[in-house]
Amino acid sequence: MHYFQYQAGELYCEEVPLARIAQEVGTPVYVYSERTLERHVRVFDEALQSVPHLICYAVKANSNINILRRFVAWGTGFDIVSGGELFRVLRAGGSAEKVIFAGVGKTSDEIRYALDTNILFFNVESSAELELIHSIARDGGKKARISIRANPDVDPRTHPYISTGMQKHKFGVSLPEARALYRNTRGLSNVEVVGVQCHLGSQITEMGPFEEALASLRQFILELKSDDVALKYLDFGGGLGISYSTEEPPSPAVYGETVARATKDLGLTIVLEPGRVIAGNAGILLARVLLKKNQGTKKFLIVDSGMNDLIRPALYGSHHQLWPVREQAGKQLETVDVVGPVCESADFIAKDREVALLEPGELLAIMSAGAYGFSLSSNYNSRPRVAEVLVTGKTYQVIRRRETYEDLVRLEESQN
Ligand SMILES: Cc1ncc(COP(=O)(O)O)c(C=O)c1O
């Protein structure tokens, strides 16, 4: 569900025509709908209504500080994976008491920063990390709240690059190892065990893997109980998928009900870390057609946004729907590769895609680009990173200005 729709043949974000944003801010530009973001947060929250819960938005999905400010206002917590993300959350006015910190390679400085700001808990991903957190907490005269990231070894049936919960992955520890780690924490006076965490992967489009993981976590939590390990939180991670093309992922309501049903009697607060499902369909990348080019039998539509702006198609072969900003009803379709200006053959938005015949100068909305879009973008080919715009009803605000050529060299020149 999102608020990008055609009105009288023109594509709008909420009540703002995208053509107006393109004209005033330029292209390429990420455009986000505040109403969509808020709706997704509320729907998730409602889905978990029957159990005590905390929604910790996964900052990595879209980290713009102005968007984080909205999440703070809507009462969410935050799932972070770096000191930089913690800094953003705090700068946005977020409270560290609602922050949880994951990641397999937290540095000592990041751990100290998180302890100093008193985050809710660390999701610990190895025994070496547990010891590191303990020693830093002890040296600082603090107590670190922790949960252990336990892998139920469930196949999330998603793209291998975004699968995380199996034995072969670098994330978390196996259930037997997790059980041993919980026992070991008894000797660690500067660590307080508060929870257990699990994150299977991202863009999961069926309930099966979630159900399997919930069943094993339940069993695991009961075993911990018999070991006298008392928990307050079950953090079930993120991962719920969205519809990029024909996928039909479970709704947040179905997902939430399943999680609540499976965990209700455990007496724990349920923490969830959704990212994609909140931000994905709330944003698009607006691009302009530069040129058309035919090469043998192949037709290319060259647009002004490249893989540095949106790397998902190059990285995962992912599908983004392409909507012309001026509705092309009845217009002839042609099969093209939609490509950007970057000097890599991996620089494509879509391959062999049937699209309405667009002319240079026309605008194209690359849909479902709100999560892992801008946050994965780079300056490759010395392309300034694009602007970001947040639409609220009839108005919009530039929430990140387009970078300039000066921005490209600023940090390099200041070293001398
Ligand atoms: C630990 C953790 N939590 C939450 C998320 C968010 O996942 P998603 O955006 O699929 O909800 C991720 C994504 O990689 C993650 O690694």
Side-chain angles (χ1 to χ4, degrees):
M1 168 64 205
H2 59 70
Y3 292 93
F4 293 90
Q5 73 289 314
Y6 287 100
Q7 291 178 30
E10 280 283 315
L11 188 55
Y12 278 63
C13 176
E14 302 190 16
E15 280 119 75
V16 178
L18 290 173
R20 193 177 118 207
I21 294 174
Q23 195 187 353
E24 294 172 1
V25 183
T27 58
V29 56
Y30 276 96
V31 181
Y32 310 115
S33 153
E34 179 168 355
R35 196 180 290 164
T36 311
L37 287 168
E38 183 170 11
R39 184 190 148 86
H40 290 170
V41 168
R42 303 265 180 246
V43 161
F44 232 86
D45 213 20
E46 277 161 25
L48 268 290
Q49 233 174 22
S50 65
V51 286
H53 67 274
L54 176 64
I55 307 289
C56 289
Y57 166 70
V59 173
K60 63 176 86 63
N62 186 321
S63 348
N64 187 293
I65 191 166
N66 296 285
I67 290 191
L68 299 183
R69 283 195 182 108
R70 287 349 187 243
F71 288 121
V72 171
W74 299 328
T76 72
F78 296 94
D79 159 51
I80 60 160
V81 287
S82 69
E85 287 190 350
L86 178 54
F87 177 82
R88 280 181 178 274
V89 168
L90 298 177
R91 182 61 74 86
S95 153
E97 286 151 33
K98 287 188 185 175
V99 169
I100 55 177
F101 191 175
V104 294
K106 303 173 189 82
T107 66
S108 300
D109 282 348
E110 287 175 320
I111 293 168
R112 226 170 274 119
Y113 182 24
L115 281 171
D116 287 347
T117 52
N118 200 21
I119 64 163
L120 182 57
F121 59 82
F122 292 87
N123 282 322
V124 175
E125 309 228 10
S126 62
S127 68
E129 189 194 35
L130 179 60
E131 276 166 33
L132 180 64
I133 291 176
H134 176 251
S135 73
I136 294 172
R138 190 191 49 213
D139 293 349
K142 299 204 153 61
K143 200 150 193 167
R145 285 177 292 274
I146 61 123
S147 78
I148 289 171
R149 180 165 177 175
N151 282 335
D153 202 24
V154 167
D155 183 352
R157 303 196 274 275
T158 182
H159 192 285
Y161 292 2
I162 47 175
S163 299
T164 58
M166 296 174 75
Q167 209 84 95
K168 61 184 176 187
H169 297 129
K170 68 177 176 178
F171 302 96
V173 297
S174 67
L175 293 178
E177 194 184 342
R179 195 166 175 189
L181 281 185
Y182 280 108
R183 287 204 198 103
N184 290 352
T185 58
R186 291 206 179 109
L188 304 178
S189 50
N190 292 77
V191 153
E192 179 191 354
V193 169
V194 294
V196 60
Q197 194 254 10
C198 157
H199 172 76
L200 298 178
S202 196
Q203 185 54 10
I204 299 170
T205 54
E206 332 160 33
M207 275 316 292
F210 292 123
E211 283 164 348
E212 251 184 84
L214 282 166
S216 19
L217 282 173
R218 263 191 75 80
Q219 183 55 35
F220 182 63
I221 289 166
L222 295 175
E223 283 167 15
L224 289 181
K225 249 190 191 159
S226 71
D227 291 349
D228 272 338
V229 177
L231 304 179
K232 292 184 197 151
Y233 301 98
L234 165 54
D235 176 350
F236 195 48
L240 184 59
I242 64 171
S243 181
Y244 284 101
S245 60
T246 53
E247 307 93 327
E248 290 181 2
S251 68
V254 166
Y255 170 84
E257 267 162 36
T258 307
V259 174
R261 201 178 326 114
T263 57
K264 216 168 197 163
D265 60 328
L266 296 172
L268 301 174
T269 295
I270 305 303
V271 178
L272 294 176
E273 307 169 0
R276 190 186 306 273
V277 71
I278 304 285
N281 284 328
I284 61 144
L285 175 58
L286 184 57
R288 199 178 282 283
V289 176
L290 294 176
L291 298 164
K292 293 163 83 163
K293 175 171 177 177
N294 294 345
Q295 196 104 285
T297 55
K298 198 99 198 154
K299 290 180 175 176
F300 295 97
L301 196 63
I302 303 171
V303 297
D304 61 0
S305 69
M307 66 187 287
N308 69 301
D309 306 314
L310 179 67
I311 203 172
R312 298 193 65 259
L315 189 58
Y316 313 121
S318 32
H319 181 104
H320 288 264
Q321 288 183 26
L322 302 175
W323 291 12
V325 167
R326 202 159 46 84
E327 209 169 14
Q328 305 285 315
K331 205 160 173 194
Q332 189 191 335
L333 298 177
E334 59 178 353
T335 302
V336 296
D337 280 9
V338 181
V339 299
V342 171
C343 297
E344 300 278 340
S345 291
D347 180 30
F348 61 89
I349 305 290
K351 285 211 155 166
D352 294 321
R353 185 77 66 81
E354 221 177 44
V355 294
L357 207 122
L358 288 180
E359 296 303 327
E362 293 201 87
L363 294 166
L364 192 64
I366 303 162
M367 305 302 289
S368 312
Y372 308 105
F374 187 90
S375 60
L376 268 167
S377 70
S378 76
N379 288 120
Y380 184 47
N381 276 197
S382 285
R383 287 167 51 82
R385 270 178 297 177
V386 306
E388 293 176 286
V389 157
L390 181 64
V391 172
T392 310
K394 290 190 171 68
T395 60
Y396 75 85
Q397 187 193 346
V398 176
I399 57 170
R400 191 178 208 274
R401 69 163 171 79
R402 187 177 306 285
E403 288 179 0
T404 62
Y405 291 154
E406 285 296 328
D407 289 326
L408 290 179
V409 294
R410 181 159 294 130
L411 297 176
E412 297 158 25
E413 286 186 332
S414 65
Q415 303 303 305
N416 302 319

